[in-house]
Amino acid sequence: MNVAEVVGRTLAALGVDTAFGVVGSGNFHVTNALVAHGARYVAARHEGGAATMADAYARLSGRVGVLSVHQGPGLTNAMTGIAEAAKSRTPLIVLAGEATEPRSNFFVDQAALAEAVGAVPLRISSAETAAADTAEAFRVAREGRRTVLLNLPLEVQGRHVPDVPRASVAGASVAGASGGNGPRGVPEAGEAARLAEILAAARSPVFVAGRGAREARHELEELAERAGALLATSAVARGLFRGSRWDLDVSGGFASPLTAELIRDADVLVGWGCALNMWTMRHGTLIGRDTTVVQVDLEAAALGAHRPVHLGVTGDVARTAREVTRLLGDDTRTGYRSAALATRIAGENRWRDVPYTDESGDGRIDPRTLTIELDDLLPAERVLSIDSGNFMGYPSMFLDVPDERGFCFTQAFQSVGLGLATAIGAALAQPDRLPVAALGDGGALMGVAELETVVRLGLPMVIVVYDDDGYGAEVHHFGPDGHPLDTVTFPPVDIAAIARGFGCEAVTVGDRSDLAGVARWLDGARERPLLIHAHVSRARGSWWLEEAFRGH
Ligand SMILES: Cc1ncc(C[n+]2csc(CCOP(=O)(O)OP(=O)(O)O)c2C)c(N)n1
Ligand SMILES: [Mg+2]
């Protein structure tokens, strides 16, 4: 057995069940070894797509993701997706062939590339250490929640490895591959006691749960019940409290007027595994002047990193919530939870409950109307993935999701073009749900190669393209000041025809009645993916866009 085979075998033994990539000579053998030992390999059409598929798959399956790329350009093509994964602390292993000879065309400093985007560079250094190096990469990815570049030098890959007993390949157990977020941090007693005191005295507490709280719904709901707290999430944790009467949905730029009002009126705001960054807190405007702000995070360095907090608690979210619940005792406080407020939340909290004037006309549908109609048409058991752009607030907030595994938001790097690949990874991680991708025309055309992947995999996906013939984000940002817009506007493209060329079904939507074609597809066998090419009204920018540009 050679080194490449040992790497593939070791990862499969550690529980890796799916790998994404584009195969060239430098990752051919390692990819085949993964397959030979039971993993599924998903071929993408561009490494950028493959990286984001692996990222989304990891996020929605709770497993360590694996990406396999050729040395040099295979890796550079994947860099945007790797940066997104690294910023999101996705446990991901990037297997890359590596040309170590500087005269090679494929040579580039791969370790430096990884470091530049916050990924951890590691290398298979010898035949003797191949299994241990691989297990270490897996450990760093899973336990440290890091994106790891595991370089496979070409001259090492083919070396013979004296047979390694199977038991020694794994530095971690197979079951660990589907485990949670890694080490479980116990909060320091004084910090937990202080948080209990603050909550015991709170009149209107709100919890905001972020990525680090996605495994802790139960614990947070119990504590919120004792404290009388309302529940919100950051965008990446959207859906976590779905079904609760006290669920406010997303805090931040996407928050509905009622959600924003209730968060602003909180006397205590607790961020759980949540950065409390400019997005989630709308540049701080969601924090009232007298609000006591608390942050709970596994990593001490995260506390107060984005804004000052009155109390920082270093600890695992579930553990900390359990401990604070115990300290609060059996009393249940009313806090923020009045019957009148429950009625308001039920009737006013969703964006679709907010009245608006439909601006459809001249062959263009109002994106709000389009999305509300789709919310009614599409089955509730869905997994929703969103690209970046002016349009993104509409699907993010008007399309409901069943829970936090029904929403995939690859926006830490704010890159356009990741949406379709995100939807593919999400679909494979949640195969029992209808995958829905929401894209702008810019993002759709940037990532269009992966339509072939959707068709080839037989995914029953609905792809909604909000087409305004341009980069709406830029048009609405610069247009009002009279700047020329020729660099950000484009002639119409028949995206429906392009989709049919790839083997999708497609409907073109210019007004509400065209959505009958969507209903027909849903009632049919759904054998081919459906692309909905919607010409959307473009007279104004979306409500959250101005917010976004304040962060530039
Ligand atoms: C990779 C990348 N390139 C450029 C940008 C800058 N950018 C932000 S939004 C946007 C427009 C995207 O257009 P589209 O997908 O059609 O969405 P729209 O804004 O029109 O709704 C661009 C180019 C970016 N964020 N990421
Ligand atoms: Mg556009």
Side-chain angles (χ1 to χ4, degrees):
M1 187 172 285
N2 67 24
V3 166
E5 288 164 336
V6 167
V7 173
R9 188 182 87 157
T10 304
L11 287 175
L14 287 165
V16 167
D17 69 345
T18 306
F20 300 82
V22 174
V23 165
S25 56
N27 60 331
F28 182 83
H29 294 298
V30 71
T31 307
N32 280 343
L34 270 164
V35 173
H37 289 91
R40 174 182 194 181
Y41 172 67
V42 178
R45 288 303 194 155
H46 189 286
E47 289 86 353
T52 299
M53 289 174 206
D55 180 0
Y57 180 81
R59 294 187 199 204
L60 292 200
S61 67
R63 305 177 76 89
V64 173
V66 171
L67 166 68
S68 175
V69 295
H70 186 68
Q71 62 273 20
L75 181 63
T76 54
N77 263 358
M79 286 315 296
T80 301
I82 293 172
E84 168 62 36
K87 279 174 178 275
S88 297
R89 300 292 297 266
T90 300
L92 176 68
I93 296 176
V94 182
L95 296 170
E98 185 184 29
T100 51
E101 167 55 58
R103 281 168 302 184
S104 162
N105 288 100
F106 290 131
F107 177 80
V108 65
D109 187 343
Q110 297 195 168
L113 280 174
E115 257 164 16
V117 298
V120 181
L122 296 175
R123 177 174 286 126
I124 301 292
S125 51
S126 70
E128 292 67 35
T129 60
D133 292 343
T134 308
E136 174 62 6
F138 187 85
R139 191 193 64 74
V140 172
R142 191 191 64 199
E143 292 176 17
R145 298 169 300 124
R146 299 300 296 270
T147 294
V148 175
L149 170 63
L150 184 56
N151 280 314
L152 312 175
L154 298 180
E155 70 279 10
V156 177
Q157 281 196 41
R159 284 187 198 151
H160 177 71
V161 182
D163 203 28
V164 192
R166 188 163 283 271
S168 75
V169 300
S173 72
V174 172
S178 58
N181 283 336
R184 298 278 140 196
V186 185
E188 199 258 308
E191 292 174 355
R194 185 76 196 102
L195 176 51
E197 271 169 39
I198 289 171
L199 287 176
R203 283 167 292 104
S204 51
V206 172
F207 290 178
V208 182
R211 185 181 61 228
R214 290 175 80 240
E215 309 288 332
R217 171 179 183 158
H218 175 71
E219 290 82 355
L220 287 176
E221 279 202 298
E222 271 204 357
L223 177 58
E225 166 102 26
R226 297 283 168 85
L230 305 183
L231 298 159
T233 68
S234 65
V236 281
R238 178 162 191 241
L240 183 63
F241 299 115
R242 202 55 93 242
S244 164
R245 285 203 299 158
W246 309 107
D247 177 14
L248 298 180
D249 208 348
V250 174
S251 170
F254 292 159
S256 70
L258 180 62
T259 301
E261 174 194 324
L262 294 175
I263 294 173
R264 228 175 258 129
D265 289 347
D267 68 342
V268 173
L269 195 68
V270 189
W272 296 91
C274 172
L276 298 176
N277 62 21
M278 66 176 184
W279 305 108
T280 313
M281 290 292 113
R282 275 195 198 174
H283 303 273
T285 62
L286 290 183
I287 301 175
R289 211 159 22 98
D290 301 321
T291 306
T292 300
V293 181
V294 182
Q295 196 182 355
V296 180
D297 204 286
L298 199 51
E299 291 180 9
L303 301 174
H306 286 268
R307 59 188 52 261
V309 295
H310 298 93
L311 173 68
V313 180
T314 311
D316 169 71
V317 168
R319 277 205 164 182
T320 304
R322 264 202 304 274
E323 176 59 8
V324 177
T325 303
R326 193 185 66 75
L327 292 169
L328 276 182
D330 291 335
D331 292 353
T332 297
R333 291 156 189 77
T334 305
Y336 220 156
R337 297 186 166 193
S338 67
L341 199 53
T343 309
R344 273 194 84 192
I345 293 171
E348 294 173 43
N349 200 62
R350 298 178 311 166
W351 265 107
R352 60 181 293 167
D353 301 326
V354 178
Y356 71 96
T357 307
D358 187 310
E359 294 177 352
S360 305
D362 296 330
R364 295 194 166 270
I365 187 168
D366 187 311
R368 294 164 294 189
T369 305
L370 166 72
T371 318
I372 291 169
E373 293 281 329
L374 289 175
D375 193 43
D376 290 338
L377 279 171
L378 301 174
E381 277 299 309
R382 55 182 82 144
V383 54
L384 175 60
S385 303
I386 314 278
D387 210 317
S388 203
N390 171 64
F391 77 95
M392 69 191 289
Y394 303 114
S396 293
M397 293 316 300
F398 287 90
L399 285 179
D400 202 5
V401 296
D403 58 32
E404 79 286 359
R405 296 249 161 129
F407 192 65
C408 202
F409 200 62
T410 42
Q411 294 290 334
F413 200 23
Q414 235 183 302
S415 174
V416 172
L418 305 186
L420 183 59
T422 301
I424 295 171
L428 295 173
Q430 298 286 312
D432 298 331
R433 292 178 168 176
L434 179 82
V436 180
L439 321 173
D441 50 307
L445 292 173
M446 206 180 270
V448 74
E450 304 307 344
L451 272 184
E452 191 279 330
T453 308
V454 179
V455 172
R456 175 167 32 89
L457 295 178
L459 297 173
M461 188 182 286
V462 173
I463 301 147
V464 190
V465 180
Y466 293 73
D467 188 357
D468 60 358
D469 301 319
Y471 297 153
E474 279 66 28
V475 168
H476 297 298
H477 183 54
F478 294 109
D481 292 334
H483 294 288
L485 297 173
D486 303 342
T487 53
V488 289
T489 50
F490 295 89
V493 175
D494 190 347
I495 296 175
I498 291 172
R500 286 190 200 100
F502 276 103
C504 298
E505 287 188 33
V507 289
T508 301
V509 176
D511 71 32
R512 189 182 284 199
S513 65
D514 296 326
L515 290 166
V518 178
R520 271 196 299 280
W521 182 87
L522 286 165
D523 290 342
R526 304 185 199 173
E527 272 164 358
R528 290 161 177 273
L530 175 70
L531 185 135
I532 303 170
H533 181 201
H535 295 288
V536 291
S537 48
R538 50 189 180 175
R540 67 188 75 249
S542 59
W543 78 93
W544 71 276
L545 189 72
E546 203 178 317
E547 188 64 33
F549 274 108
R550 289 181 57 205
H552 278 233

